Amino acid sequence: MPSGLVALALGGFGIGLTEFLIAGLLPQVASGLTVSEAAAGWLISGYALSVAVGAIALTAATARLPRKQVLLGLVALFVVGNLLSAIAPNYPVMLLGRIVAALCHGSFFGIGSLVARSLVAPEKKSQAVALMFAGLTVANVLGVPFGALVGERWGWRAAFWAVTAIGVLALAGIAALVPAWAGRVRPATEGDPLQDRPAAEAGESDPAPPSGLRAQLRAFRSWQVWLTLTATALGYGGMFGAFSYIAYTFTEVSGFAPADVAWLLMVYGVGLVVGNLVGGRAADRDRDRALVLALSGLTLTLTLFGLLAGSPTASVVLVFGMGVTGFASVPGMITRVTDYAHGAALAASANVSASNVGNALGAWLGGLAITAGLGYTSPLYVGAGIALLSTVVMVIAARRARSPRVADRAPTS
């Protein structure tokens, strides 16, 4: 794998830390800025809303710019946002810093996934995307404990200074290691078996992506793009419908002490890392089959979790399985939507927005189930139901793709 992927993964790690570490710092931030816990909570929800908006807005605004330059600009925005958070003299500046940092999140992963896949041969594109997302999954494991540890020893501002430094390193890495042509057609090199093949030939190389906004919007005429975005939203909705209330399941049903929740969440995070890497490799072999298996596996895992949540041992195994099956579909979904969108960066970023919509949907429905008095295992069953819908959508998409009568086939397999 090219060294440029390491730089992209480092950027993903920094962005992931920004998203997750605040959860372990909220009490200190609220106290330091003299605001209520509810107001401090907007540093999380405001970030999430800004991710969904920024993913579409910034990608559309930069549609005609070279993708390496866009990535550098996004990471620079990330550095500025975290710097504002580190030096914030009051709550409004802190919230502004969180919003600025969040604006780059969706576009970075959307455009970065296109850059990542352009750095490798077509048969390794999902693995390349998975490696870039490895930074995010590792941040999911380390984010909360990292924030809590640094904040306890050196204060909450030190955590944001550390993330700012990671952003600077990622900026330097992308500038030095990602080639200027990244995100476009792979250049032919001597001995490259692709050099004499047409770029748009199915299964051989990626076609030149559309650059203008109007051309990128045309990608959304494809039913396969919409089916993939729907499956992405429902897949994330299933996982986060269960995950949003998992602490209550652990303490109220499985019998764990509140102090155990931190290491249980790390088990889940390790599952994300494993699922991401395994899912990327599986998607490069048979993408649609891998996606159907991942989503059906998530459905089964959440159902079993609901049935066996009273067993501490089973809960540990199944929360790991939830992480594996929940994230195994991510690399394949991104390469799938961008294939059917002919490399349109807007579609890649829309996939990130779809995942955030799914997060909100799953958390809302899981909360409704608890409010209705169905108990703390009910979000697991809600998640299983949403994941089942995602599986059905993916099966429809896969069958439609195999039909020779369908016109919106992907340019690559």
Side-chain angles (χ1 to χ4, degrees), residues 22-349:
I22 189 67
L25 295 172
L26 271 188
Q28 294 183 43
V29 172
S31 175
L33 297 177
T34 319
V35 295
S36 67
E37 292 181 356
W42 272 100
L43 299 175
I44 295 177
S45 53
Y47 185 98
L49 291 173
S50 299
V51 169
V53 173
I56 301 299
L58 286 184
T59 303
T62 59
R64 292 188 177 275
L65 298 178
R67 287 174 177 170
K68 178 178 177 178
Q69 291 183 19
V70 174
L71 282 180
L72 291 173
L74 292 172
V75 178
L77 195 66
F78 165 79
V79 170
V80 170
N82 280 283
L83 183 60
L84 282 174
S85 296
I87 65 175
N90 51 47
Y91 176 77
V93 175
M94 179 69 179
L95 182 59
L96 176 62
R98 292 288 292 169
I99 291 173
V100 169
L103 287 175
C104 78
H105 184 125
S107 293
F108 178 86
F109 285 108
I111 296 172
S113 65
L114 296 174
V115 171
R117 60 180 286 170
S118 73
L119 298 177
V120 300
E123 65 272 14
K124 292 185 177 181
K125 60 189 175 186
S126 293
Q127 293 178 64
V129 171
L131 183 56
M132 187 195 75
F133 270 84
L136 177 65
T137 56
V138 171
N140 199 311
V141 179
L142 300 179
V144 175
F146 172 84
L149 177 63
V150 174
E152 181 182 346
R153 293 196 175 188
W154 298 290
W156 62 268
R157 294 183 187 275
F160 287 99
W161 279 113
V163 176
T164 301
I166 292 173
V168 172
L169 289 176
L171 187 66
I174 292 172
L177 301 176
V178 174
W181 54 260
R184 302 197 297 270
V185 180
R186 293 178 68 246
T189 57
E190 186 174 354
D192 187 343
L194 303 178
Q195 62 180 341
D196 296 324
R197 311 284 182 88
E201 185 175 332
E204 300 298 340
S205 186
D206 294 330
S211 57
L213 178 58
R214 183 175 298 179
Q216 294 205 45
L217 288 173
R218 282 199 292 269
F220 291 92
R221 295 176 180 177
S222 167
W223 275 107
Q224 287 291 350
V225 169
W226 286 107
L227 288 169
T228 308
L229 292 175
T230 302
T232 294
L234 292 173
Y236 269 86
M239 180 169 66
F240 279 89
F243 178 73
S244 297
Y245 305 95
I246 199 70
Y248 294 103
T249 306
F250 285 142
T251 57
E252 303 298 325
V253 182
S254 304
F256 288 103
D260 293 325
V261 173
W263 69 261
L264 288 166
L265 292 180
M266 291 189 70
V267 171
Y268 166 77
V270 172
L272 294 181
V273 175
V274 173
N276 176 54
L277 297 176
V278 172
R281 183 174 293 273
D284 280 333
R285 294 176 179 173
D286 188 336
R287 185 170 57 201
D288 283 358
R289 183 170 183 270
L291 291 174
V292 170
L293 287 175
L295 294 170
S296 58
L298 177 61
T299 304
L300 178 61
T301 300
L302 293 177
T303 302
L304 289 175
F305 202 166
L307 294 172
L308 303 175
S311 166
T313 302
S315 295
V316 173
V317 174
L318 289 168
V319 78
F320 174 78
M322 189 171 85
V324 173
T325 56
F327 220 84
S329 63
V330 172
M333 285 295 189
I334 291 177
T335 58
R336 192 178 201 277
V337 78
T338 50
D339 275 355
Y340 282 98
H342 300 270
L346 195 60
S349 295

